[in-house]
Every structure is written in C-alpha cells, then in structure tokens.
C-alpha cells in the first residue's frame, strides 16, 4: 500500500498591521505556487493563516523530511518575503533565519509538523495552528486527548485504544528525546511535560506503532540565539476507528489554559480557540489563538477543510479566555503575567543591569 505524507510547514514572513494578520496577497501567492505542484511533487495542498503565520498544508507520497517538499516550502516563503518587503509589511521575512536552503527546512526558521501513514478505510485528520505561543502549548491538549479518560472515553471503552499510547518527548534545551508509555508512566510523563518551556511532546503513537499525532518543535529563540518571534506551533492529529474521535480531540480545547507567548513572546495568557476568520491578533497583540482545520484524506486528497472552532460550542471557552485575559492584563509588568526572566523573548534586563550595576550596594549581614 502506498503511504501518504502530510506536511504542515509555517513561517511568519510579514504581516499587517504589525504582527496581527497575514496579508491576502501572500496567501494567494502561496496557494498559487502550491497548486502548480499538484499532480507533480504534491498530491494536494491548502493555504491558510493563523495571526501573522502563513501555513502551508501539503500532501504527497515522498515521506517525512523530504528535501524537495521542504525546498518548495522554503522557496514559497522566500517568494512571499519578497512581496511582503515590496509592500513594507511588518516583519517581512522575519522567520527566514538562514540565507539559503540546505537540505532540510528544520532549523532554518520555519516550523514543521509531518506524519506518514498508510491510509485507513477512512482517515479523518485535524490540523491545529496557533499564534503567539510556543510548541509546549500542545502538551496539555495531547495529554488530555491521548491519556485522560475523563476527556477521552474511548480510552476506557474502545478496545482499539485501551492499551494506551506512547508519547515521544523532546527536551528542547538539551536536544535529547525520550518515550513515555501511558497509562503506566503517566506521572513521569506529566512530571516532564508540565514544564512546557523545556519539554515538548513531539509525537504520539498507539502501542502497535500507529502514528496518531505530530507537532512542530522548532524553538526559534534557541535556533537564532536571539529574539525572532515565538514559534507559533502547528500540530497534526488523526482521529477515529481506534484513535480518539474528532470530538474527543476537540474537547480539551474547551478548557481555557494559560500559555506562554502573547505580547513580545514574554507574557502568559489564555489560548483562545477561534474560527479562521477570527484568527487575527489584536488585543495586546493577542490573545494567543488556535485554529483547527478538519479534513478527510482520500488517497492524499484533502477533502475539506472544515473550520472546526467555527461553532457556538466554543463560545463559552472564548468568553472564559476573555475573562482570563482581563484578569492577567491587570497585572501589567508583574509575574506571572510577565514571564520569568529566562523565558522572556525580549528583555531589557541585561541593559538595565549594566546601567545600574554600579549603584547596587551590598546588604550588610
Ligand atoms: C509576539 C509578537 C508581537 C511583537 C510586538 C513587538 O510574538 O509578534 O507581540 O513582539 O508587537 O514587536 P516589535 O519588537 O517588532 O515592535
Ligand atoms: Mg509575530
Ligand atoms: Mg506569529
């Protein structure tokens, strides 16, 4: 059986006004360039945006980390960067950290989530895309979807899922990885992935090896060694028939969680699930947002999309997110609204330390 690969590759190559949203000209150009590859390098494609991030959703038969597919994405981002520069869009080309493509787009700036699988009789896939936060934001949701029976009733009552899942976790600081098996290693898994700034769930598999979820884990601040924007992560989740159902995958997004990112990548705030037409960052450059597009995969064809959060069922979490936003905003520059020094992406602290360094006096014993 031929296998299908889904590659979701994203970059912020410029937006308007400020870091708010991607310009339609960039979306049109990216979709046109992808369409030209359908029937050639690609089977199908879809372009969207979440906030200031341009999102390329591609299907093909070349497997993960394919050089040509990654180069196509890189070239499209470069092309869109040119348009962004010609329009003086804000942050034109900001995520394009390398001067030239070199074999694989990982580590060059853009974010990548990919998975390759043999299509089942019917294969529903959900693509999640977030803005103004980092890849650790997915940890909570992946835990709830694949390891919490209070969220996913299938863990208890579907024999296909009853054995549990394997979580692959990346330590983005030490550049190492580990696997945890659930339910038996649940507490150890949680002890790691609760530290979202350091440990990131990279993938989830069923214990028979079937791929169920895959995320982007590029940590741009570590890649660049200086501030260039939060990673604004993407995630692919397969659903149904021995995996959590579409509704079980969406259910944890009814909980308004606080994530790191938002203004200047340096504040905690609520992650708000929104429809694509509402995926434009405004208030305090946010609040952080997540969109979800649902597809059926038909021999690589993307049947869809369905805009999954465009639904009154998510009105209440949106309203709770707004309340939380009011609540944390009142704290202004104080932690825990503002991130601790090591996690802030912008910081004036070293400069202030230098300026006032000599004025500090020792406190007598
Ligand atoms: C956060 C983000 C924005 C900017 C902010 C300041 O990821 O993109 O909140 O950090 O608008 O932007 P600059 O420093 O470009 O003026
Ligand atoms: Mg930005
Ligand atoms: Mg962004």
């Amino acid at each position: 059986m031929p296998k299908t690969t889904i590659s979701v590759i994203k970059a912020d190559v410029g937006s308007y006004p400020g870091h708010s949203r991607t310009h339609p000209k960039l979306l049109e150009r990216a979709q046109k360039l992808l369409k030209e590859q359908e029937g050639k390098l690609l089977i199908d494609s879809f372009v969207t945006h979440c906030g200031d991030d341009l999102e390329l959703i591609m299907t093909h038969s070349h497997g993960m980390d394919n050089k040509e597919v990654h180069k196509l994405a890189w070239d499209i981002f470069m092309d869109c960067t040119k348009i962004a520069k010609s329009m003086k869009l804000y942050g034109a080309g900001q995520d394009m950290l390398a001067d030239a493509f070199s074999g694989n787009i990982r580590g060059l700036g853009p974010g990548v989530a990919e998975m390759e699988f043999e299509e089942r009789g019917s294969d529903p896939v959900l693509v999640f895309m977030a803005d103004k936060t980092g890849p650790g934001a997915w940890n909570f949701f992946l835990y709830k979807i694949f390891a919490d029976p209070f969220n996913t009733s299938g863990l208890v009552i579907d024999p296909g899922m009853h054995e549990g899942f394997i979580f692959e976790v990346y330590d983005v600081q030490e550049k190492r990885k580990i696997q945890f098996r659930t339910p038996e290693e649940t507490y150890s898994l949680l002890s790691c992935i609760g530290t979202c700034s350091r440990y990131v769930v990279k993938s989830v598999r069923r214990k028979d090896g079937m791929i169920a979820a895959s995320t982007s884990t590029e940590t741009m601040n570590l890649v660049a060694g200086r501030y260039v924007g939060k990673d604004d992560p993407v995630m692919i989740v397969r659903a149904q028939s021995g995996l959590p159902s579409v509704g079980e995958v969406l259910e944890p997004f009814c909980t308004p969680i606080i994530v790191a990112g938002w203004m200047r990548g340096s504040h905690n705030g609520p992650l708000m699930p929104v429809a694509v037409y509402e995926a434009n960052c405004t208030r305090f450059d946010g609040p952080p947002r997540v969109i979800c597009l649902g597809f059926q995969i038909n021999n690589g064809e993307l049947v869809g999309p369905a805009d999954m959060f465009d639904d009154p069922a998510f009105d209440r979490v949106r309203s709770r997110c707004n309340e939380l936003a009011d609540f944390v905003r009142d704290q202004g520059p104080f932690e825990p609204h503002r991130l601790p020094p090591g996690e802030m992406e912008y910081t004036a602290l070293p400069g202030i330390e230098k300026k006032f360094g000599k004025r500090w006096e020792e406190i007598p014993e």
Side-chain angles (χ1 to χ4, degrees):
M1 272 284 280
K3 288 185 176 176
T4 300
T5 308
I6 304 181
S7 301
V8 181
I9 308 188
K10 50 82 41 183
D12 178 347
V13 293
S15 49
Y16 86 104
H19 291 274
S20 169
R21 62 176 85 185
T22 307
H23 196 278
K25 279 198 176 156
L26 270 52
L27 297 168
E28 277 163 31
R29 180 71 183 156
Q31 186 65 79
K32 181 174 176 285
L33 292 173
L34 283 181
K35 280 270 167 264
E36 286 173 8
Q37 289 299 322
E38 288 179 14
K40 296 179 193 161
L41 183 61
L42 304 179
I43 301 172
D44 206 352
S45 66
F46 190 80
V47 172
T48 189
H49 80 107
C50 184
D52 56 13
D53 291 286
L54 177 58
E55 320 273 359
L56 312 181
I57 302 171
M58 300 169 279
T59 54
H60 53 92
S61 55
H62 310 295
M64 291 161 61
D65 286 320
N66 178 267
K67 192 177 166 185
E68 279 73 36
V69 173
H70 282 209
K71 183 163 189 318
L72 173 65
W74 176 265
D75 289 345
I76 291 174
F77 292 140
M78 279 303 200
D79 197 284
C80 289
T81 295
K82 268 193 215 143
I83 300 174
K85 284 188 172 159
S86 75
M87 297 173 75
K88 286 181 76 175
L89 294 184
Y90 200 71
Q94 76 156 47
D95 286 356
M96 309 304 281
L97 303 181
D99 297 327
F101 181 76
S102 59
N104 188 308
I105 206 166
R106 288 179 207 276
L108 304 186
V112 188
E114 297 186 297
M115 63 164 68
E116 184 188 29
F117 54 84
E118 212 170 275
E119 286 185 24
R120 297 171 291 170
S122 182
D123 228 303
V125 167
L126 299 173
V127 179
F128 292 88
M129 295 153 273
D131 188 31
K132 305 293 185 271
T133 188
W138 303 133
N139 288 3
F140 171 88
F141 301 106
L142 288 169
Y143 173 76
K144 296 284 281 185
I145 296 165
F146 293 103
D148 180 3
F150 282 76
N151 180 84
T152 300
S153 66
L155 291 167
V156 180
I157 59 183
D158 180 345
M161 264 187 276
H162 201 75
E163 293 305 311
F165 288 88
I166 299 170
F167 285 69
E168 183 186 23
V169 175
Y170 277 19
D171 174 347
V172 294
Q173 256 171 39
E174 294 295 323
K175 291 213 163 141
R176 52 183 189 162
K177 57 183 184 176
I178 188 171
Q179 293 191 348
F180 290 107
R181 298 167 73 85
T182 57
E184 60 272 34
E185 295 174 336
T186 296
Y187 299 159
S188 308
L189 169 71
L190 285 172
S191 75
C192 274
I193 66 170
T195 308
C196 302
S197 58
R198 174 165 179 180
Y199 301 99
V200 175
V201 179
K202 178 65 189 167
S203 67
V204 182
R205 289 180 179 274
R206 223 164 55 173
K207 286 195 176 143
D208 63 3
M210 182 197 230
I211 184 72
S214 177
T215 71
S216 61
T217 54
E218 285 65 34
T219 44
M220 210 123 50
N221 48 340
L222 300 179
V223 169
R226 63 188 168 86
Y227 175 77
V228 282
K230 277 272 173 197
D231 298 65
D232 302 336
V234 290
M235 165 167 86
I236 309 167
V237 183
R238 285 168 91 191
Q240 306 287 156
S241 311
L243 291 174
S245 70
V246 167
E248 286 167 334
V249 175
L250 296 174
E251 177 65 12
F253 290 88
C254 288
T255 304
I257 66 159
I258 299 277
V259 297
W262 206 349
M263 174 58 75
R264 299 173 194 277
S266 302
H267 293 81
N268 282 309
L271 182 64
M272 185 185 278
V274 292
V276 175
Y277 73 89
E278 290 175 330
N280 304 307
C281 291
T282 51
R283 181 180 182 184
F284 201 52
D285 284 358
R289 287 165 204 240
V290 55
I291 57 171
C292 173
L293 293 184
F295 301 93
Q296 287 290 141
I297 309 299
N298 177 24
N299 301 319
E301 183 197 346
L302 291 162
V303 179
D307 187 348
M308 303 308 288
F309 292 137
D310 185 10
D311 187 313
F314 293 94
D315 282 351
R316 192 162 353 241
V317 63
R318 286 190 273 265
S319 139
R320 293 177 71 196
C321 283
N322 276 325
E323 273 167 34
L324 276 170
D326 286 342
F327 186 87
V328 291
R329 279 301 300 127
D330 281 350
Q331 275 185 254
F334 286 81
E335 295 179 18
H337 178 32
R338 201 211 69 194
L339 292 177
E343 286 175 39
M344 284 197 297
E345 298 223 342
Y346 282 56
T347 172
L349 296 182
I352 291 167
E353 183 55 41
K354 211 171 155 197
K355 185 171 171 193
F356 293 100
K358 291 210 174 81
R359 269 170 53 182
W360 286 97
E361 292 172 34
E362 242 172 70
I363 302 172
E365 292 293 311

